[in-house]
Amino acid sequence: MRVATNTSVDTDMFMPFMRDVLRCENSLRELNLMWRLIESSAKMNCPEEAHSILPMMAATRAGFQRLERDLVSSLVHESISEVMAEIGTSARHVIDIVVRNLYERTADVGFLATDQELCRFVAGLDSDPAPVLERLREYRNKYTVYDEILLLDRDGNVLAQIDEDSPVEGSHDPLIAQTLQHQGYVETFRPTSLRPGKERALIYSHRMLDPLTGEPVGVLCLSFAFQGEMEGIFHSRANEDRRSIALLLDGEHRVIASGDPLWISVGAPVPVNQEGAPQLLVRSGRTYLVQTVAAQGYQGYPGPAGWKGQVMVPIELAFSRKQGRALDNLEPAIAQGLLAHAQSFCPPLHEIVTAADTIRRVVWNGQVMTAGERGGQHQLKAVLEQIGETGARTNEVFTQSIRDLYDTVLSSRMRDSELLTRLLVDLLDRNLYERANDCRWWAHTPELRAALAQPDTGDWQQIHQILEHINALYTVYTRLVVYDCQGRIVAASRPCSGDGSSVLGSHVDAATLAAVLALPDTQSYYATPWQPSPLCDGQATYIYHAAIRAPGNDQTVVGGIGIVFNAAAELDAMLRGATADKPGTRTVFIDRQGLVLASTDPHRAVGSTLPLPPEMLQQGRGASVSRAMVHDGHYCIVGCSASNGYREFKVSDGYRDDVLALSFESLGAVQNGALDAAQRQRTALQSMSTALDGQEMATFFVDSALFALDAGSVLEAQSASAIAPVSAGRQPYCVGALARKAHDSITGYVWVFDLGHLLRGQPSEITQESQVIVLQHGGRRTGLLVSELHGVTAFARDQIIKAPAMPGQQGQLITHLIRANQSQTLVQCMDAGHLMALLRSGTNSPENLQRQAA
């Protein structure tokens, strides 16, 4: 549901609604103008003195032009992607929940239409309506999603109904004739005389057959409480920020259910966007971003023809700032580690970071080039001061702009993970609600009650056929079992287990039997804890039980029924169906202890325990959370939602079994140097002197430690990616050669030595931030591989003190210390000449050099 990276977006159309992007664009334009002014000033006022820095300024300006365009474009693109992903997931939520719910209705009407007590009444074999009405009300009490149940004869005369507030004597609705001629269910959604007073009704009808002749004698109609169901679905979005509206549409793109009828009313036509393109659509003079999602179908049921879920958000509200920022809550090491993987999870972010690093290096080189300039060139001094100030401002704007883009990408993915897991627990609760209904209703089957009340004379072949018929309609079950008061299984559908043995004659466990026998009434049920069961071929599942009571005596329990949920297949289908368009996302269902109930993660098998922070496992019912965290050695976006029940199920029926849904989107392996990089990002130095009366030092990092060299001994810095890995004989610490260029021509090469290897005794990992600093001393030149550049800063003379001498050493690697930031930060100063001599001689051991740098 994300905007494709190659999708063309008209940034000018969207930018007026993105205040953050506009601020960023203005800052970048101001900086671009400033660099142009500095370059023009240098050319006009001191062309000779500024000759050496003009190429640097030209390179900065050229880089700025590209960066300004790409950064603004990426900010717009990712902001749109964030909104489109969010409303796309919400639209999927609407249609998936509806289709899965209605699938259950198709099974319900098919089974209830074969109820022998109802069929005998409709066929005229039984004439007393009282027990029939009682039976229909009993059904309605179990399946609370229906607001009316009707029995009709072939002519449309109403024989029985349970909604006393909407009496109907008869109807000539065409669905009656259509249903009588159809072998399966008929789905009707429109106005009908069968439901007077309702603008439209969603009715599932099925023909009923004469128990003796097998001829169609009437029609069963189940009226689904459509309006109440949709209100519940829309209510589940109530904790969102109400910037958008959710809709259910028919095949003609008209609203059949609205999350806010005062905003967009039922019956209104709306524009749709089934391709998910980032386009603006207009309705009633207001402009929207729209996502439209068609039904995927479920268990072979396609859903009502043409129905779609849709979410619309007005463009003026789409990019309004949300509370909180994703990056503010991340550990610095995780944030920096994620950024190292930007190339995979957000290529534009990676390219912008790379471009920004290039411009920072150009500015750093310019500051190095101008270091040590002395004399009375007043104009040059002003230019140099402007370069320093603008360079600092440039770094600040880059950092903030990249952070904004980074935050947008992460926020989008975290929000999407929350919505996904919320959909999953919603699907699960609604599915298991049906299981609790099924067991209670099937326990009410007259044939089962009669057979268990008189087991010696019961027609067990008929019982077997009834169970097989039910299981054929309700494919979510592994098997159904019926047992007597001693717990012995006397009938079953699909009785043969995977190992060839039969469940017939085996017993349900004593705890389950005791719980079923103690159930107080026909509304009660018992669900086993999640555990492996021989009734599910040894797999872990839920089994829903209800007591079977004697005919005409609901107080006497004669046995029970257990319906074995095919959890392995059904939970896996839920997880995979919800992530069909998210191939990089893994999902799991767990309990409060972290036990895995179902998983699409090959590394997290069912039955294993998932280690999670306690606050995730303990979050409140119905709550959702998402975070970026380390999981299984990877940086992951993790979403987590806790179940909250559905209707009375797990809400008011006394049953509690909380399940959590989690999603994991891996963004790359953990980076060992992420903590160092995060510490480098937080390091800043305050300049205490101007360039003309202080000591200018070129500062850089090795790991997270800050070092400095006299800026006068530094020629330039280049990206470490330019190192050519050639052999340097037996010289220690040498990692290759670096070409130096002037006017796009190679002027020579320098050997590059790994300063980190020299200091810590282990080779450095070359990352995107790694740089090579080229030193010059005594006519010789050498390259130093360092972790990252910092800046060129002027320090007052009294800030620089001599480092303590190391006993027994002829020379020291660290000659001075800088007391920076009001003595809160110590910067280690190296002597270029001594450092180059040590690197080239190779006589000092890593251990000695580490002691010198300690």
Side-chain angles (χ1 to χ4, degrees):
M1 285 297 176
R2 294 186 63 79
V3 179
T5 54
N6 60 353
T7 301
S8 177
V9 175
D10 186 351
T11 58
D12 291 339
M13 183 185 299
F14 291 96
M15 278 191 58
F17 307 100
M18 301 178 178
R19 295 180 180 178
D20 290 346
V21 179
L22 286 172
R23 281 194 291 267
C24 173
E25 183 186 44
N26 290 336
S27 296
L28 289 171
R29 286 182 175 175
E30 289 173 6
L31 284 172
N32 199 345
L33 176 61
M34 185 60 69
W35 282 111
R36 289 175 178 273
L37 290 174
I38 294 173
E39 183 180 9
S40 299
S41 177
K43 286 180 178 179
M44 289 187 296
N45 298 320
C46 49
E48 294 298 326
E49 296 86 345
H51 177 73
S52 61
I53 63 174
L54 288 175
M56 178 275 298
M57 285 187 285
T60 303
R61 176 171 47 80
F64 238 111
Q65 290 176 340
R66 174 174 177 263
L67 186 63
E68 179 185 347
R69 180 185 67 250
D70 291 350
L71 182 53
V72 171
S73 176
S74 294
L75 280 167
V76 171
H77 186 280
E78 289 300 330
S79 296
I80 296 171
S81 293
E82 179 181 19
V83 173
M84 296 297 283
E86 177 181 337
I87 64 175
T89 301
S90 293
R92 169 67 64 196
H93 189 152
V94 171
I95 190 62
D96 280 358
I97 290 294
V98 169
V99 169
R100 281 162 172 76
N101 194 322
L102 299 186
Y103 161 75
E104 300 284 349
R105 314 291 65 90
T106 66
D108 286 352
V109 73
F111 175 67
L112 190 59
T114 64
D115 186 284
Q116 291 301 294
E117 188 171 328
L118 302 184
C119 287
R120 289 181 61 84
F121 176 74
V122 173
L125 302 178
D126 295 332
S127 58
D128 186 0
V132 170
L133 288 173
E134 181 183 354
R135 186 160 179 76
L136 294 180
R137 292 191 184 99
E138 187 77 22
Y139 189 86
R140 169 65 175 79
N141 291 339
K142 307 293 187 295
Y143 297 87
T144 57
V145 295
Y146 298 115
D147 56 19
E148 172 70 296
I149 304 175
L150 300 111
L151 300 178
L152 300 91
D153 65 16
R154 293 180 58 90
D155 297 323
N157 297 309
V158 174
L159 304 177
Q161 70 173 121
I162 62 171
D163 186 0
E164 298 176 353
D165 295 329
S166 299
V168 180
E169 293 185 0
S171 173
H172 297 290
D173 193 300
L175 78 83
I176 300 171
Q178 181 186 0
T179 304
L180 288 169
Q181 297 169 8
H182 194 71
Q183 289 188 355
Y185 71 89
V186 173
E187 185 177 61
T188 306
F189 182 67
R190 55 172 170 75
T192 172
S193 57
L194 291 169
R195 297 297 285 138
K198 288 187 176 292
E199 186 174 343
R200 280 174 298 186
L202 179 55
I203 293 179
Y204 289 83
S205 56
H206 201 288
R207 70 182 183 180
M208 304 179 74
L209 306 180
D210 188 307
L212 300 180
T213 66
E215 293 298 315
V217 291
V219 172
L220 165 71
C221 293
L222 297 180
S223 176
F224 181 63
F226 176 72
Q227 183 176 350
E229 172 66 11
M230 295 310 303
E231 288 175 355
I233 293 174
F234 295 140
H235 180 72
S236 68
R237 303 179 71 247
N239 58 349
E240 299 177 23
D241 55 16
R242 300 185 183 276
R243 293 176 302 136
S244 59
I245 181 170
L247 307 168
L248 184 66
L249 310 182
D250 63 15
E252 297 179 347
H253 310 330
R254 290 186 176 274
V255 177
I256 52 180
S258 172
D260 187 345
L262 296 179
W263 184 347
I264 297 180
S265 61
V266 172
V270 292
V272 299
N273 180 23
Q274 292 185 256
E275 292 74 28
Q279 57 183 319
L280 295 179
L281 301 176
V282 179
R283 181 189 180 276
S284 299
R286 199 172 188 185
T287 306
Y288 293 86
L289 281 171
V290 178
Q291 281 276 35
T292 312
V293 179
Q296 295 184 80
Y298 180 68
Q299 301 276 25
Y301 169 66
W307 281 22
K308 299 172 285 291
Q310 177 157 304
V311 175
M312 305 171 67
V313 56
I315 187 63
E316 69 271 16
L317 300 178
F319 309 105
S320 56
R321 195 174 188 85
K322 299 182 178 66
Q323 294 296 321
R325 293 170 60 89
L327 283 177
D328 294 341
N329 299 319
L330 291 186
E331 296 177 20
I334 292 179
Q336 197 62 37
L338 280 170
L339 193 58
H341 292 289
Q343 190 164 15
S344 61
F345 76 86
C346 182
L349 176 60
H350 170 77
E351 294 170 7
I352 288 165
V353 170
T354 302
D357 286 344
T358 299
I359 296 179
R360 289 191 183 102
R361 185 171 59 249
V362 170
V363 173
W364 193 89
N365 283 334
Q367 293 171 320
V368 166
M369 290 165 57
T370 59
E373 296 284 353
R374 295 293 185 266
Q377 306 100 324
H378 179 75
Q379 295 89 346
L380 180 59
K381 175 181 177 180
V383 170
L384 298 179
E385 290 176 348
Q386 284 299 312
I387 289 176
E389 293 175 6
T390 306
R393 173 62 179 152
T394 299
N395 287 337
E396 179 184 341
V397 171
F398 283 171
T399 299
Q400 185 58 49
S401 300
I402 290 171
R403 183 180 177 85
D404 287 343
L405 176 57
Y406 188 16
D407 191 83
T408 299
V409 174
L410 288 179
S411 295
S412 173
R413 292 180 179 232
M414 292 171 70
R415 178 64 174 160
D416 202 42
S417 69
E418 265 190 72
L419 293 173
L420 171 61
T421 55
R422 194 182 305 166
L423 167 63
L424 286 171
V425 291
D426 216 353
L427 290 174
L428 180 64
D429 281 341
R430 290 163 183 266
N431 190 303
L432 298 184
Y433 158 84
E434 303 288 347
R435 314 293 67 90
N437 295 343
D438 290 347
C439 74
R440 292 179 295 166
W441 175 248
W442 296 336
H444 214 59
T445 304
E447 291 83 352
L448 299 184
R449 300 176 71 174
L452 282 174
Q454 297 180 329
D456 294 335
T457 60
D459 186 350
W460 295 106
Q461 180 61 32
Q462 181 192 23
I463 301 303
H464 173 77
Q465 292 174 351
I466 290 173
L467 296 180
E468 291 289 0
H469 174 64
I470 295 173
N471 215 161
L473 287 171
Y474 294 83
T475 57
V476 298
Y477 298 112
T478 300
R479 61 176 51 88
L480 316 180
V481 297
V482 171
Y483 47 90
D484 59 23
C485 286
Q486 287 71 48
R488 185 174 66 91
I489 296 175
V490 295
S493 66
R494 305 172 185 173
C496 290
S497 298
D499 60 3
S501 63
S502 175
V503 300
L504 294 174
S506 63
H507 287 72
V508 299
D509 64 273
T512 295
L513 179 62
V516 173
L517 295 178
L519 291 173
D521 52 44
T522 60
Q523 283 296 100
S524 304
Y525 66 93
Y526 172 73
T528 62
W530 177 271
Q531 59 189 10
S533 171
L535 296 181
C536 197
D537 301 334
Q539 294 183 316
T541 189
Y542 298 111
I543 302 178
Y544 290 81
H545 294 263
I548 297 177
R549 301 171 189 273
N553 182 3
D554 287 347
Q555 303 305 313
T556 302
V557 176
V558 294
I561 183 171
I563 59 177
V564 185
F565 183 51
N566 187 2
E570 296 305 315
L571 298 188
D572 185 75
M574 287 183 212
L575 295 177
R576 296 189 186 279
T579 56
D581 57 349
K582 304 175 188 296
T585 299
R586 301 289 179 261
T587 48
V588 297
F589 283 125
I590 64 171
D591 66 12
R592 286 290 190 185
Q593 287 69 50
L595 179 71
V596 176
L597 313 184
S599 171
T600 63
D601 186 344
H603 303 295
R604 294 294 174 189
V606 172
S608 63
T609 300
L610 187 64
L612 287 173
E615 59 270 21
M616 273 193 168
L617 292 172
Q618 297 165 9
Q619 67 177 308
R621 301 183 76 223
S624 300
V625 68
S626 62
R627 62 169 59 179
M629 57 188 284
V630 174
H631 176 73
D632 285 346
H634 285 72
Y635 300 112
C636 290
I637 301 296
V638 181
C640 179
S641 294
S643 62
N644 196 35
Y646 171 62
R647 291 184 176 266
E648 68 278 2
F649 177 68
K650 292 187 181 180
V651 176
S652 60
D653 63 359
Y655 175 53
R656 282 289 297 271
D657 183 68
D658 294 345
V659 175
L660 308 180
L662 291 106
S663 67
F664 299 90
E665 181 184 7
S666 174
L667 301 181
V670 169
Q671 299 292 299
N672 293 328
L675 183 58
D676 288 337
Q679 291 175 342
R680 295 197 295 265
Q681 289 292 318
R682 297 197 300 267
T683 301
L685 294 177
Q686 300 172 5
S687 178
M688 300 297 291
S689 179
T690 65
L692 298 182
D693 60 6
Q695 178 70 30
E696 289 178 287
M697 306 296 289
T699 57
F700 56 91
F701 292 98
V702 174
D703 298 331
S704 61
L706 192 58
F707 293 87
L709 286 160
D710 188 326
S713 63
V714 177
L715 294 178
E716 65 169 340
Q718 291 192 37
S719 171
S721 62
I723 298 175
V726 297
S727 173
R730 292 185 175 273
Q731 291 192 75
Y733 318 116
C734 188
V735 293
L738 181 76
R740 300 198 65 227
K741 296 181 180 180
H743 306 294
D744 295 327
S745 298
I746 296 176
T747 59
Y749 291 86
V750 295
W751 291 116
V752 179
F753 294 86
D754 184 350
L755 184 55
H757 189 184
L758 183 150
L759 294 171
R760 77 173 87 84
Q762 295 179 345
S764 300
E765 178 184 359
I766 297 181
T767 67
Q768 177 181 303
E769 293 83 16
S770 300
Q771 306 287 330
V772 176
I773 296 175
V774 180
L775 303 181
Q776 178 173 266
H777 183 79
R780 304 181 71 178
R781 295 172 179 172
T782 296
L784 295 179
L785 174 64
V786 301
S787 300
E788 191 174 345
L789 302 176
H790 185 265
V792 178
T793 307
F795 298 99
R797 299 287 180 180
D798 60 3
Q799 289 181 270
I800 305 173
I801 60 174
K802 190 163 183 170
M806 294 291 294
Q809 300 295 332
Q810 296 182 354
Q812 287 188 218
L813 191 58
I814 306 302
T815 59
H816 292 80
L817 299 173
I818 301 174
R819 298 176 299 182
N821 300 344
Q822 290 81 44
S823 298
Q824 298 299 309
T825 303
L826 283 180
V827 183
Q828 304 174 75
C829 299
M830 294 181 171
D831 179 83
H834 184 54
L835 176 59
M836 292 170 66
L838 285 174
L839 289 170
R840 291 183 175 274
S841 68
T843 56
N844 276 26
S845 68
E847 292 77 12
N848 288 338
L849 290 168
Q850 289 178 65
R851 283 198 296 271
Q852 294 179 46

